[in-house]
Amino acid sequence: MQTSFKLGLIGYPLGHSLSPKIHTAALRACGLEGDYSLFPIAPDDKQGLKDLLNRVRAKEIRGLNVTIPHKQNVIPLLDELTPTAKAVGAVNTIYLREDKLIGDNTDAPGFLSDLKKFLAESPSPFLGEGLGVRGKNALVLGAGGSARAVVHALANDGWNVTIAARRIEQARQLATFFTQHAPRDYTLSEVKGTQHKLQITNYDSLILHPSSFILLVNATPIGMTPNVNQSPWPENLSFPNAVIYDLVYNPRETKLVKDAHSQGLPATTGLGMLIEQAALAFEIWTGHNPPREILAASVDH
Ligand code: NAP
């Protein structure tokens, strides 16, 4: 009898999630039986989380994704974290291995993989020889859950990272966490005009960064539907001469990406990251590596 893969997503709210479409396409493309369900669990419903995780322990559910607001809430309920989940401090993928409930994070490798693909496809004056002039410096806007994955991925890939957050304390916490878990020797400082490997700055102080970075990553929800006319880049600042990666994927072209394109800059939304993190989770659960173009087509309308 063929194995049936029962998969799903924990979060709240889940109304607009694209994950069922992506994973259903992955199951079909790999010729597997199964389904992908939504499990909305309210932010303070700890018992609901426990009950669902027990269904993974009981092998009724093969694998779960986790999204807002539970990426950190699930950690105390798991037996082990993978090194990536530990380093990011958040879990987006859960599975059972040798009767242990494991928490992993595919957002970080999913982001990095899609970023690299995008950079390789984007002929840009800032990459190549420009990289030598301005250095591998990235600016990350936001210091929430996805910023953790992004900062971890960039740090691992040798980028110098500046985190800009409207609440400097949130950026400080994130940066402090990374200086403790960083893969290499990271020093932390607040921006004073000098170059450090990991810096934090207040959103209002972005003026301190004229053009020292070659990559801008938006890890805030600004510009997401229905607020499609908003951009995370402050209007009083000239647009950065950089490659732009916007994690927001709804709408398909955000104002930030439109503005960048209108200035001739390479820019993309986060749909590729969404596909990639899903594909990596799917492979962990099923052992099958799903074709990315079929997953992308499943959400392309
Ligand atoms: P989150 O944990 O809520 O963090 C959001 C961050 O943005 C926080 O630092 C928040 O600051 C800041 N922020 C929110 N509104 C702001 C504003 N008006 N001005 C300045 N800063 C603001 O959310 P998240 O999980 O990181 O998600 C962020 C975005 O990334 C969402 O749109 C999500 O859909 C997208 N995302 C995409 C993928 C993908 O695969 N492409 C994966 C994950 C997330 P406060 O704490 O002060 O509000």
Side-chain angles (χ1 to χ4, degrees), residues 215-234:
L215 172 67
L216 168 70
V217 182
N218 175 37
T220 78
I222 304 171
M224 201 164 112
T225 304
N227 303 311
V228 295
N229 292 322
Q230 294 178 3
S231 164
W233 192 251

Side-chain angles (χ1 to χ4, degrees), residues 105-121:
N105 187 302
T106 66
D107 281 332
F111 163 73
L112 192 60
S113 163
D114 192 56
L115 173 70
K116 286 189 165 180
K117 190 168 150 242
F118 180 62
L119 293 181
E121 286 167 358

Side-chain angles (χ1 to χ4, degrees), residues 68 71 107 142-147 166-167 170 203 219-222 224 247-249 270-271 273-274 277:
I68 299 173
K71 283 186 178 183
D107 281 332
S146 59
R166 64 175 166 184
R167 289 185 295 122
Q170 193 188 31
Y203 217 97
T220 78
I222 304 171
M224 201 164 112
L247 257 61
V248 174
Y249 51 82
L271 195 61
M273 170 181 172
L274 184 76
Q277 62 77 29

Side-chain angles (χ1 to χ4, degrees), residues 21-22 25-26 28-30 275 290-300:
K21 281 186 178 177
I22 298 173
R28 285 208 192 107
C30 296
I275 301 287
R292 307 303 193 262
E293 62 283 3
I294 291 184
L295 307 199
S298 74
V299 292
D300 194 21

